[in-house]
Amino acid sequence: MTLDSLTRGQRCEILNIAGPDALRQRLATLGVLRGQSIQLAAVSPWGNPRVYRLGRQQICLRNEEAVYITVTDQGNGR
Amino acid sequence: MHFTVALVGNPNCGKTSLFNLLTGARQRTGNMAGVTVDVKQGAREHKGLTLTFVDLPGIYSLSQNRVEERVARDYLLNTPPDFVLNVLDASHLSRHLALTTQLLEQGLPTMLALNMMDEAARLRCVPDIKQLSKQLGVPVLPSDGRKSAAIEPLLDQLVASLLANHQHQASLITTCSALMINYEPHVEQAIQQLTQKNISRWQAVQSLEAAGDVGFPISEEVRQTLSDQLTLLAQRHDETATELITAGRYGYIHGLFHEIDEAHIDISRLDTWLDAITLNRWLGLPLFFFALWLIFEATFTLGAYPADWIDQTVGLIGEGVTHWLPDTLFRNVITDGLLAGVGGVLVFLPNVVLLFLFIAILEQSGYMARAAFLTDRVMSKVGLHGKAFVPLVMGFGCNVPAIMATRTIEEPRARLITILINPFMSCSARLPVYVLLAGIFFADNAGSALFGIHMLGIMVAFVIAALLSRWLPAQPNEIFIMELPPWRWPSFRSLMMHVWDKVQDFLHKVGGVILVGSMAVWVLQTFPMQGEMSFLEQLGRWMAPLFAPLGFQWQETVALLSGFLAKEVIAATLAMVYQVNAEDMGGLQLAMQAGLAPAAGLALMVFTLLYMPCLATLAVIRRETGSWRWAALSIFSGLVLAWLGGWMAFNLGGLFF
């Protein structure tokens, strides 16, 4: 499944990052890479953008970009 | 001897705080990314050396092509500094070290300054500084942009390193051997192919990382090899070259200090709790507006006390002058010109300072970045980029630096819209007028009136943005990825610095444009002495029909005209034309209340909010958009909107009051 379908507090692992090169570059420099654990931390009033937590880093992503990130299915709640 | 030291680091790691402390400069800081947008310089003497510090915008990587990154990257390549002071956030060390590895690969003489050691200590992940220094082969020191005690050892080390470096250069021995990271085998092959074409290893790595968009010139041959190698890599891997190289960097960094496993340290409970409230899907936005309301309420009520003291002092001086000086034109210029006009603006200093203080607290605590997250959807609906939030909030202070801050917005259309709507974000120069009028006509809920007028400005800004985004041709949207900063206590020193700057700024303006404006108004008001009507009144009455539908008389008309200079002058002129026989603020308030309907008071507030930007703002709009057309449009649309808004306020307001 893709990152934008996470429920709040759900944690899973990044399997793949697709999308335009500019986006992938940007994510890579922020330390968003394959194999990392990622968690949905907060949702804005309109459901977009959302805040994701990687370790202690919190990153705000729009859903348009989050669909490019594939994550593991068997994510469990906190 | 003279040396240049560049401060390089990720966004929001405290470079500017450190820069301010190092050079005694007073650059703006805030707990969010993108506060610094261009290159700033400042100098300091230490142990007989002159050190020029250069503060660069925060960057995540040297191989990216966003504005901030290009500014920093090109600076390092075109005017290589004698030394790089790499500033890092000790509590997020691995991410921040990724940039360090790029600097070291490039072989730049570098030294590391670890900021936020207190935060790292709180999270129990204090890095072993000695170990880090040994592994990287460069000096590493703790630092703190909030405490001057941390600066001395930092400067000592800088001077020692600079001198050593200088001597080595003289003896033709290279001091820093570039860092060498082993990347994934296919990447290494590509690097090898590229280095055979006579470019250095770091250049090869950076061209692969940036897919050829680099700051140094590369030959056609290299470009060809590069594109071949990138194609080859794309065939062999799902990941891009950037991702492979970044993974390599992180692998190297994790190898550096395996004893500290950062990933397993969680965000502190207090932070999680604060985020749970402020970022709450349903509570977050109402809470943001409540916070803003509270700020305006406090600005009005708390500001009233010191304003009263200033008012009394000005009143006492006035009485003294009246008592001691004979009744001449000279006395008149002091009491009716200087004290009424300049004093009439000076009383609002406490309000302006308080508003600034509150906004600075919001910025430095990290709340502003959260507010940007909450409002992103609305902003993108009207064609604004997420990065427009910082310039818009800065507009509450002054539109001039706010418009310059739009440089971080890459997409030209989004940037233009942000520039053009910025004047509707009510700057602090308009605050005196609101405080004066709200105190007269909405005495019971003046704070809410202030809040309301600022909200109206935001709403108008959004409507105009929506219209402009329909009208201007659309361009592909820029990606919006923002890091949420951790919550931080605003530093007392930096808050006081902000406030003091604002006080100075205000006094400077009072002694400059407001004084000149007041004198001009006084002259027009006093002459001709024989006629029935002063020049000012003649001018006002001649223009007044234009403003009659808004409920204004000649007094308001001339006040608005004088506001072309600077918006504070409106308050000064009102004080002068109404205060002819009044002694203090109380007298002015009574005189205005008698002369003006409440609905007209509201209309005057709305008109002041919307009508043309001040001269300084127009000049900066012209400079940043590169054309007078946009500045002209800004004047024209402002005047039309202000008239319509004032008319509506007067007529709708008339139904209620």
Side-chain angles (χ1 to χ4, degrees), chain B residues 389-407:
Chain B
F389 192 83
V390 174
L392 290 179
V393 170
M394 280 170 84
F396 279 142
C398 177
N399 298 130
V400 175
I403 287 172
M404 289 198 274
T406 58
R407 287 182 196 168

Side-chain angles (χ1 to χ4, degrees), chain A residues 45-61:
Chain A
W46 289 272
N48 183 17
R50 297 167 178 218
V51 174
Y52 299 93
R53 195 173 286 177
L54 287 105
R56 265 177 311 105
Q57 216 182 155
Q58 300 202 92
I59 289 171
C60 164
L61 271 182

